[in-house]
Amino acid sequence: MKFLEKLINGQMRIMECHDALSGMIASQASFSLDDDYKEFDGLWISSLCDSLVRGRPDMEVVDISDRLQMIEKIKSVSSKDIIVDIDSGGNISQLFYTVKTLSERGINGIVIEDKIGIKFNSLYGKDNPQCQDTIENFRKKISIALKARINDDTVIIARIESLTLGKGIDDAVFRGIEYIEAGAEALLIHCITRQADDLFKVIEKIKRKYPSIPIVAVPTKFPEIEEEVLFDRGVNLVIYANHLLRAIIQPMEKVAVSILKNGRTSDVEHHLISINEVLNLIPKGIEV
Ligand code: SPV
Ligand code: MG
């Protein structure tokens, strides 16, 4: 089934990964209880995580060929659908070639956000003033992206930042409709408030006019709201955008400090998976 069809029908969840190991973990994770079986439907390649693992700010400074090398490594350990966050996509020419290249590599979804100029991560909210693109220019970017992809197996997802920038519900709804009319095949409506009420209002208003437009949500700032509630409110795809990377930072810091403090590793061994488990995790070589 094509990715767009999955999105339209879907109540999907995808997980961030930033290297081959996290790609393997996200791809192999499953949960089952009685008749309930869950796994992730795909992988999210996040600009935030791709920046942090390189020790760079999330400001479009990691070049796409560097990111692509890692995406290739992830693809070699996972057959899951992949959505890539390309930030604003840069200028029109940069956007064209980024979308073309990702589409040629079989990427299933590309998210382009409606910011312009120096971009900061959206989770800063209004603390870091940044500019939203004009509707006219962003519509142009959507049509360039549609032309740049090699076929419709790569879904173009327009990301609206009105709620994170304090522009309000009406602006988000207006832009959503404009972006759909420019050809966007799905909308990511970013929201960073704990109740996500504004997000739900925006979805309701947009879906009143375009009931089958797939909606993507990123619940980083509303972690209590369960997927089922998001799906009931019209979300088609939930992105867990940074959780595997966040899972490892504090443990790494603790282990490093403990080894410095104690001059040995036995104090932290119980926090670590055993070397045997590591050996079981690494792929086996080819037997001859
Ligand atoms: C990312 O994961 O890089 C995103 C989502 O763009 S957020 O960090 O919430 O802006
Ligand atoms: Mg990002």
Side-chain angles (χ1 to χ4, degrees):
M1 193 194 288
K2 288 196 164 184
F3 188 61
L4 182 57
E5 278 173 60
K6 289 190 208 168
L7 271 181
I8 293 171
N9 301 331
Q11 299 195 329
M12 301 167 71
R13 64 186 76 81
I14 67 173
M15 174 51 87
E16 166 267 322
C17 70
H18 47 273
D19 58 13
L21 176 59
S22 54
M24 271 162 58
I25 289 172
S27 301
Q28 290 167 14
S30 67
F31 170 79
S32 59
L33 183 68
D34 303 327
D35 288 343
D36 195 16
Y37 175 81
K38 286 180 181 172
E39 58 184 67
F40 291 105
D41 301 295
L43 304 174
W44 166 246
I45 311 292
S46 146
S47 72
L48 172 66
C49 300
D50 274 6
S51 303
L52 185 54
V53 293
R54 290 165 177 80
R56 296 282 183 264
D58 183 13
M59 293 172 71
E60 311 199 54
V61 294
V62 180
D63 77 81
I64 191 72
S65 37
D66 185 0
R67 296 184 73 195
L68 255 175
Q69 284 186 16
M70 187 54 79
I71 292 171
E72 291 298 341
K73 290 183 179 37
I74 293 167
K75 278 176 78 75
S76 83
V77 296
S78 172
S79 54
K80 299 269 181 194
D81 291 331
I82 293 184
I83 304 188
V84 180
D85 166 14
I86 64 163
D87 303 304
S88 74
N91 65 33
I92 296 287
S93 310
Q94 289 162 330
L95 174 71
F96 183 89
Y97 286 103
T98 299
V99 171
K100 180 175 177 328
T101 309
L102 290 173
S103 179
E104 285 164 351
R105 305 292 165 92
I107 293 305
N108 308 86
I110 298 177
V111 174
I112 311 163
E113 69 185 274
D114 62 357
K115 286 201 197 125
I116 198 148
I118 298 177
K119 186 215 93 132
F120 297 92
N121 182 276
S122 307
L123 302 171
Y124 288 118
K126 287 176 282 177
D127 299 346
N128 251 334
Q130 42 190 332
C131 295
Q132 200 173 18
D133 207 346
T134 61
I135 293 175
E136 192 193 0
N137 195 51
F138 199 68
R139 285 186 59 129
K140 203 190 293 168
K141 287 176 93 168
I142 293 169
S143 47
I144 296 284
L146 292 168
K147 285 198 191 99
R149 66 180 179 183
I150 55 160
N151 58 47
D152 62 7
D153 282 342
T154 307
V155 175
I156 301 300
I157 305 168
R159 165 169 162 174
I160 303 165
E161 290 293 322
S162 306
L163 298 181
T164 69
L165 297 170
K167 303 269 183 77
I169 295 169
D170 290 346
D171 188 72
V173 173
F174 188 71
R175 283 176 177 267
I177 287 168
E178 288 280 331
Y179 299 167
I180 294 167
E181 289 174 357
E185 296 156 311
L187 299 178
L188 189 163
I189 304 163
H190 207 4
C191 172
I192 53 174
T193 54
R194 219 168 175 81
Q195 308 303 332
D197 291 343
D198 289 357
L199 169 66
F200 297 145
K201 285 183 194 141
V202 174
I203 297 175
E204 197 194 321
K205 289 185 181 199
I206 292 177
K207 286 220 167 175
R208 218 177 281 155
K209 183 148 186 192
Y210 290 104
S212 58
I213 187 78
I215 302 290
V216 182
V218 181
T220 305
K221 291 279 186 135
F222 40 94
E224 282 95 5
I225 304 181
E226 288 160 3
E227 282 171 4
E228 289 310 318
V229 175
L230 298 174
F231 295 147
D232 279 354
R233 296 301 198 108
V235 172
N236 300 72
L237 171 70
V238 178
I239 300 180
Y240 296 100
N242 44 53
H243 300 78
L244 292 189
L245 184 59
R246 282 166 62 202
I248 59 174
I249 293 171
Q250 201 184 44
M252 287 198 293
E253 284 169 353
K254 279 196 174 143
V255 168
V257 171
S258 171
I259 292 173
L260 285 176
K261 180 175 163 207
N262 298 302
R264 62 180 190 188
T265 67
S266 62
D267 313 84
V268 286
E269 290 288 344
H270 62 284
H271 288 308
L272 308 176
I273 69 165
S274 70
I275 283 296
N276 279 345
E277 286 168 297
V278 172
L279 295 176
N280 285 334
L281 201 59
I282 59 174
K284 304 283 170 282
I286 306 293
E287 280 181 31
V288 280

